[in-house]
């Protein structure tokens, strides 16, 4: 028995035998007592505002419509961010990194800096060599 309802008393419900059999099988499938199974089912219907008599189709279509509206709103937010934040920032960065030359600089073809190429140093001539000792 469940700990929360240990001190509670039992009450009889009048239901048809095939329904009771099906319910007991379902409670075993969930792995809980019959009381907890019935309580979980009732709480599910109450929290999701569902009625066992109504079809899930219209309710699911309503949920789908709400989700689509939220997705459309998110797309609009992302587009707005792109339009007002990302593109201007990218343009600013692009202008910063472009090679903007003044007219005077573009006229002179001589570069400001010239790369110097170093020649390899020549090895100094060997003046003294060690004699090899052969015993």
């Amino acid at each position: 028995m469940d700990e929360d309802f240990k001190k509670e008393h039992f009450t009889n419900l009048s239901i048809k035998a095939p329904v009771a059999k099906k319910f007991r099988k379902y409670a075993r499938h969930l792995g809980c007592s019959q009381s907890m199974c019935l309580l979980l089912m009732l709480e599910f219907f109450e929290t999701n505002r569902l009625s066992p008599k109504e079809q899930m189709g219209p309710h699911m279509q309503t949920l789908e419509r709400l989700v689509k509206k939220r997705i459309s709103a998110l797309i609009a937010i992302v587009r707005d961010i792109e339009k007002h934040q990302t593109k201007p920032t990218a343009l600013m960065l692009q202008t910063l990194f472009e090679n903007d030359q003044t007219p005077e600089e573009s006229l002179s073809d001589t570069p400001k800096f010239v790369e110097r190429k170093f020649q390899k140093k020549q090895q100094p001539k060997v003046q003294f060599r060690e004699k090899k000792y052969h015993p």
Side-chain angles (χ1 to χ4, degrees):
M1 185 66 193
D2 304 308
E3 295 297 321
D4 297 340
F5 299 102
K6 209 171 200 176
K7 295 180 181 178
E8 298 290 328
H9 298 286
F10 286 97
T11 302
N12 293 332
L13 292 175
S14 298
I15 53 175
K16 303 288 181 181
V19 176
K21 187 176 180 180
K22 190 172 182 179
F23 179 71
R24 287 186 182 115
K25 185 178 176 183
Y26 183 72
R28 268 184 268 139
H29 175 73
L30 287 180
C32 58
S33 66
Q34 294 175 23
S35 298
M36 278 309 293
C37 181
L38 187 59
L39 181 66
L40 288 172
M41 290 167 68
L42 290 172
E43 287 176 352
F44 173 80
F45 285 121
E46 287 173 354
T47 55
N48 293 310
R49 296 183 187 141
L50 294 173
S51 169
K53 290 183 179 181
E54 79 180 40
Q55 294 292 322
M56 292 293 282
H59 189 70
M60 287 299 171
Q61 289 172 354
T62 315
L63 287 175
E64 185 179 353
R65 220 175 298 126
L66 287 172
V67 169
K68 283 183 179 180
K69 283 182 184 179
R70 276 315 293 154
I71 290 173
S72 297
L74 287 172
I75 290 171
I77 290 169
V78 169
R79 284 185 181 160
D80 185 63
I81 289 171
E82 184 181 72
K83 184 178 178 183
H84 291 99
Q85 292 176 5
T86 310
K87 286 185 179 178
T89 306
L91 260 166
M92 283 187 249
L93 287 173
Q94 184 179 4
T95 55
L96 279 174
F97 290 114
E98 277 182 359
N99 193 4
D100 291 332
Q101 293 181 348
T102 59
E104 298 168 5
E105 290 175 344
S106 60
L107 291 177
S108 64
D109 291 334
T110 58
K112 287 183 176 182
F113 301 104
V114 178
E115 179 183 353
R116 291 195 296 175
K117 295 184 179 180
F118 296 101
Q119 295 179 356
K120 289 186 178 179
K121 290 184 179 180
Q122 293 180 356
Q123 294 289 335
K125 285 187 175 181
V126 180
Q127 293 179 0
F128 303 101
R129 286 193 183 174
E130 254 184 73
K131 287 186 175 182
K132 293 185 180 177
Y133 178 72
H134 293 290

